[in-house]
Amino acid sequence: MKTQIGKIGGIVLLLCFMCLTSLAEGVGLRVTYLGNGQAIVRSLQEKNYILLPIEEKANEAKVTLLVKNQMVSVMNVRLAVDKVDYWVPYDIAGLDVASTLLDIQGVKEDAVCWKEMKLSDSFDKQNREKYRPVYHFTPEYGWMNDPNGMVYKDGEYHLFYQYNPYGSMWGNMHWGHATSKDLIHWEHLPIAIVPDGLGTIFSGSCVVDENNTSGFGKGAIVAFYTSAGRSQTQSMAYSLDNGRTFHKYSGNPVVTSNVRDFRDPKVFWHEDTKKWVMILAVGQEMQLYSSPNLKEWTYESSFGEGQGAHGGVWECPDLIQLPIKGTDRKKWVLICNLNPGGPFGGSATQYFVGKFDGHRFVNESPGKTKWMDFGRDHYATVTWSNAPSGRTIALAWMSNWDYANQVPTMQYRSANSVPRDLFLYEQDGETYLASVPSDELLTLRNKPVKKGGFKVNKSREMKNLLKNNEGIYEIELKVEDVQGKKFGFQLYNSKGEQVSCLFDLEKKLFSMDRNQSGETSFSDRFASVTSAPIKIQDKYVLRLLIDKSSIEIFEGDGRFVMTNLVFPDEPYNHLRFDVEGGSFKVESMNVYKLNK
Ligand code: FRU
């Protein structure tokens, strides 16, 4: 009897094996299921990719690449169990098929992924997403968070970024890479830095080592990143071919600690002390280190206790010196991203203004919390190293950890903000950070559709802002002669979806309400109203930059910025002005279709 059952079991197993093998062999793969959630996948032909089927709701499986029995990489991949949401390419180009296999652990035998894996020489990167912005940077596919290692060299702006090429949710952090000559048109380049034995590759920065202080070579681009293994440590890699290839330094890690959250190195040259400075996010403070050669680092000081907002972990620091508008003075600004603890929930960017002598940063207004952007989707903001013409250009990740993994896109997830030029301004005895859209964005404008020159009593409707509005446009608005306590406008579409913007002159606030902006149900933390403090003025100037699924509102002089994602079913092509108990004049209103 036992042997009978054994035989039957054996036959069933053999059938299962044959079934899996033959199903997969149709597309050039052999899948051998080993039980306990483990399988071995071999390619039967030389091709560039194994296309892995992904289901975002599935748990992560462990996918290990073995070449000649040696482990080459280990990735966590949400292999499809019940249905396939999309495929991601697993690169096997140039590998000898006879000695290469994928060891996959954590997926049951009847999961659909075994049948849906395929071999291919190509991967279709054509955009399939209605919400994908056009003039904001997005990865071609996969997940992106923080901008990393931004550096300018030889006419090229480099943008590296936190990247998961194995799915559109956070994980497997690599440094993706793109370059641009104008901050708007980006060329996607191969992945720059891949995970290794020290960990995955978390956020960091790059410098140009003009004088070869490191000995890697004159003009080397040197990248600093956090190796996120069991502990977080700081590592470096250098490139001698303008970022096309990076060599990891053999002495990594270069800075260590026993604190758990210890990451996101931003490195810059401090001219007065003739030293490199590294600022690091450590728990809820920032630590400063100095070095003569980029390799050996000495602890200098810590900043943060009792200063600013502490609702969450401090991340992605930056330390820059900026001019104060209308003066010939400069001050230092410490940029501090924190999550959670933003003014409207989740992630946000705060900053401190003060002095820095190469050793210690001193905040000049310890009692005050200052926010860099008053929307919900502005995080991990850092600036370009070595930017030309004395400019300081910042870029943010345009999302929020509250819901970043759930936003309704699949082929890719997350965009960056538009690039913004930074400077300081003084108001009522305080110094604040101003952000204005970088001038390069002006080149996107088509001829303006001019709508202004009228007075609004109660309300006024403006239908059809643009012909064939595809949701890629800018509105420049100048309002004056305001009588009344509240005035504002709603951008809306024919589905009744709308974004409401309001100046409340009594409360001295400008607010933006996205509660009815379109798709909001993917997270109960998404719908929200955000507000920024304003100064009462004779004239109010706004620039609204709209790109499919985002609205960035800049006050005319950059005194406040508000960045919010929105997911309308169709573009907002109508606008309604209204005013409570009074009137105002729309001196000018220009609507520009933007073209890349
Ligand atoms: C900020 C952050 C960084 C970290 C990276 C990991 O968004 O949490 O602190 O380096 O993302 O992807």
Side-chain angles (χ1 to χ4, degrees):
M1 188 65 183
K2 253 191 189 164
T3 43
Q4 274 289 347
I5 293 175
K7 253 191 206 158
I8 295 170
I11 291 167
V12 170
L13 266 177
L14 186 69
L15 282 176
C16 275
F17 170 73
M18 281 169 52
C19 173
L20 276 172
T21 304
S22 58
L23 272 171
E25 258 179 34
V27 284
L29 292 169
R30 174 177 294 141
V31 178
T32 311
Y33 199 81
L34 305 175
N36 282 328
Q38 186 181 12
I40 285 171
V41 178
R42 282 182 193 275
S43 166
L44 302 174
Q45 292 161 37
E46 296 215 345
K47 293 264 182 193
N48 290 337
Y49 308 112
I50 299 177
L51 301 183
L52 298 176
I54 307 294
E55 180 181 0
E56 293 209 331
K57 286 213 175 82
N59 292 329
E60 286 178 333
K62 193 167 140 199
V63 178
T64 306
L65 174 67
L66 290 148
V67 178
K68 292 193 185 138
N69 306 336
Q70 297 295 315
M71 267 166 62
V72 176
S73 96
V74 186
M75 297 295 148
N76 299 316
V77 186
R78 294 177 192 278
L79 289 173
V81 174
D82 296 321
K83 69 169 181 46
V84 182
D85 290 328
Y86 51 85
W87 279 261
V88 293
Y90 194 98
D91 197 335
I92 52 161
L95 294 178
D96 166 35
V97 290
S99 52
T100 299
L101 62 84
L102 288 185
D103 172 310
I104 299 183
Q105 297 181 21
V107 190
K108 54 186 188 171
E109 192 166 359
D110 61 356
V112 297
C113 65
W114 306 125
K115 284 179 261 156
E116 297 287 350
M117 267 177 211
K118 25 189 183 192
L119 264 188
S120 175
D121 270 332
S122 59
F123 175 65
D124 179 12
K125 295 176 190 164
Q126 249 182 54
N127 182 38
R128 293 187 292 278
E129 295 280 0
K130 89 175 200 176
Y131 289 129
R132 191 192 284 267
V134 169
Y135 59 92
H136 290 75
F137 180 82
T138 54
E140 283 179 301
Y141 66 93
W143 163 272
M144 174 178 83
N145 56 295
D146 317 356
N148 293 153
M150 289 127 70
V151 63
Y152 178 85
K153 184 168 185 264
D154 298 340
E156 279 182 331
Y157 289 93
H158 290 266
L159 168 63
F160 301 90
Y161 51 91
Q162 287 288 279
Y163 185 44
N164 182 7
Y166 301 109
S168 301
M169 296 175 91
W170 186 86
N172 308 311
M173 285 297 111
H174 294 57
W175 271 27
H177 187 196
T179 55
S180 172
K181 294 203 160 34
D182 62 2
L183 294 166
I184 293 171
H185 298 85
W186 291 98
E187 188 189 338
H188 292 278
L189 295 180
I191 286 171
I193 309 183
V194 300
D196 57 32
L198 289 172
T200 52
I201 313 298
F202 273 19
S203 290
S205 57
C206 283
V207 294
V208 178
D209 188 9
E210 214 51 78
N211 298 320
N212 198 15
T213 60
S214 62
F216 293 139
K218 198 170 154 47
I221 294 183
V222 185
F224 290 84
Y225 57 89
T226 300
S227 291
R230 192 178 151 86
S231 302
Q232 299 186 343
T233 58
Q234 316 317 319
S235 292
M236 60 199 286
Y238 63 93
S239 169
L240 302 173
D241 59 358
N242 280 354
R244 271 40 181 198
T245 50
F246 275 91
H247 311 276
K248 287 174 180 153
Y249 174 50
S250 52
N252 283 339
V254 290
V255 189
T256 62
S257 158
N258 56 11
V259 180
R260 203 185 69 149
D261 292 301
F262 182 68
R263 56 180 180 262
D264 308 340
K266 171 78 191 209
V267 176
F268 60 95
W269 177 252
H270 187 253
E271 189 52 40
D272 293 351
T273 53
K274 300 263 184 286
K275 279 200 175 146
W276 295 101
V277 173
M278 178 189 288
I279 179 163
L280 270 177
V282 186
Q284 290 201 14
E285 63 176 28
M286 300 303 184
Q287 289 186 354
L288 290 156
Y289 293 75
S290 68
S291 170
N293 60 8
L294 294 170
K295 291 173 175 163
E296 286 136 44
W297 292 92
T298 307
Y299 170 81
E300 294 280 351
S301 63
S302 295
F303 169 82
E305 204 184 324
Q307 319 255 349
H310 281 272
V313 179
W314 285 17
E315 300 182 317
C316 302
D318 204 344
L319 188 52
I320 46 181
Q321 201 183 21
L322 288 173
I324 305 172
K325 198 179 179 176
T327 76
D328 53 11
R329 287 175 290 125
K330 285 182 170 182
K331 282 185 180 173
W332 285 86
V333 177
L334 193 156
I335 295 178
C336 168
N337 293 277
L338 93 163
N339 177 62
F344 312 105
S347 329
T349 312
Q350 65 177 331
Y351 66 92
F352 305 93
V353 180
K355 289 198 167 81
F356 176 61
D357 61 1
H359 306 282
R360 184 172 296 277
F361 174 80
V362 180
N363 178 13
E364 65 177 27
S365 311
K368 255 192 133 66
T369 301
K370 297 176 179 173
W371 299 105
M372 190 165 174
D373 186 293
F374 291 87
R376 291 202 68 197
D377 299 296
H378 178 273
Y379 195 57
T381 314
V382 283
T383 64
W384 251 279
S385 275
N386 209 32
S389 324
R391 290 170 71 180
T392 302
I393 311 164
L395 200 65
W397 172 49
M398 202 159 49
S399 197
N400 188 315
W401 283 117
D402 266 3
Y403 43 72
N405 277 291
Q406 283 85 44
V407 297
T409 62
M410 279 235 173
Q411 184 187 19
Y412 81 98
R413 213 173 256 120
S414 299
N416 286 333
S417 70
V418 291
R420 301 161 182 200
D421 277 63
L422 306 182
F423 58 89
L424 295 169
Y425 68 97
E426 289 173 328
Q427 184 177 295
D428 306 327
E430 276 292 334
T431 309
Y432 295 98
L433 184 56
S435 313
V436 292
S438 296
D439 276 350
E440 284 84 348
L441 288 154
L442 296 172
T443 63
L444 298 173
R445 287 177 171 180
N446 282 9
K447 277 216 177 83
V449 177
K450 291 185 185 269
K451 307 258 186 196
F454 54 81
K455 194 168 168 182
V456 179
N457 291 300
K458 273 198 176 152
S459 89
R460 178 164 178 145
E461 205 97 37
M462 317 215 56
K463 293 267 191 184
N464 303 315
L465 295 176
L466 287 174
K467 272 190 208 130
N468 306 321
N469 190 340
E470 291 174 64
I472 312 156
Y473 60 107
E474 175 179 347
I475 301 176
E476 198 182 25
L477 187 66
K478 291 188 182 141
V479 167
E480 57 186 19
D481 295 341
V482 181
Q483 315 288 324
K485 293 176 190 150
K486 287 181 187 168
F487 72 99
F489 57 91
Q490 289 97 51
L491 268 171
Y492 65 99
N493 64 20
S494 73
K495 310 267 164 129
E497 297 164 341
Q498 62 167 45
V499 172
S500 264
C501 297
L502 180 75
F503 283 87
D504 185 328
L505 303 183
E506 265 186 345
K507 291 192 182 142
K508 297 191 183 161
L509 285 178
F510 171 82
S511 63
M512 183 170 163
D513 179 340
R514 70 173 177 194
N515 282 311
Q516 266 118 47
S517 55
E519 177 60 84
T520 60
S521 62
F522 53 88
S523 162
D524 56 11
R525 301 207 199 157
F526 183 76
S528 37
V529 182
T530 59
S531 57
I534 54 165
K535 203 175 153 64
I536 302 301
Q537 283 166 268
D538 296 338
K539 205 183 230 185
Y540 297 92
V541 180
L542 292 182
R543 269 178 78 184
L544 282 74
L545 289 165
I546 298 162
D547 194 2
K548 299 272 187 184
S549 52
S550 62
I551 305 183
E552 289 158 281
I553 303 187
F554 291 84
E555 191 272 340
D557 294 319
R559 284 168 188 257
F560 72 79
V561 195
M562 195 175 280
T563 303
N564 280 316
L565 293 177
V566 286
F567 298 97
D569 200 36
E570 64 181 40
Y572 310 114
N573 199 25
H574 315 301
L575 191 145
R576 184 175 38 243
F577 288 106
D578 49 26
V579 54
E580 213 179 281
S583 64
F584 63 92
K585 191 178 164 204
V586 176
E587 194 222 305
S588 72
M589 176 175 164
N590 292 341
V591 186
Y592 304 89
K593 198 179 172 83
L594 301 181
N595 269 108
K596 205 159 98 165

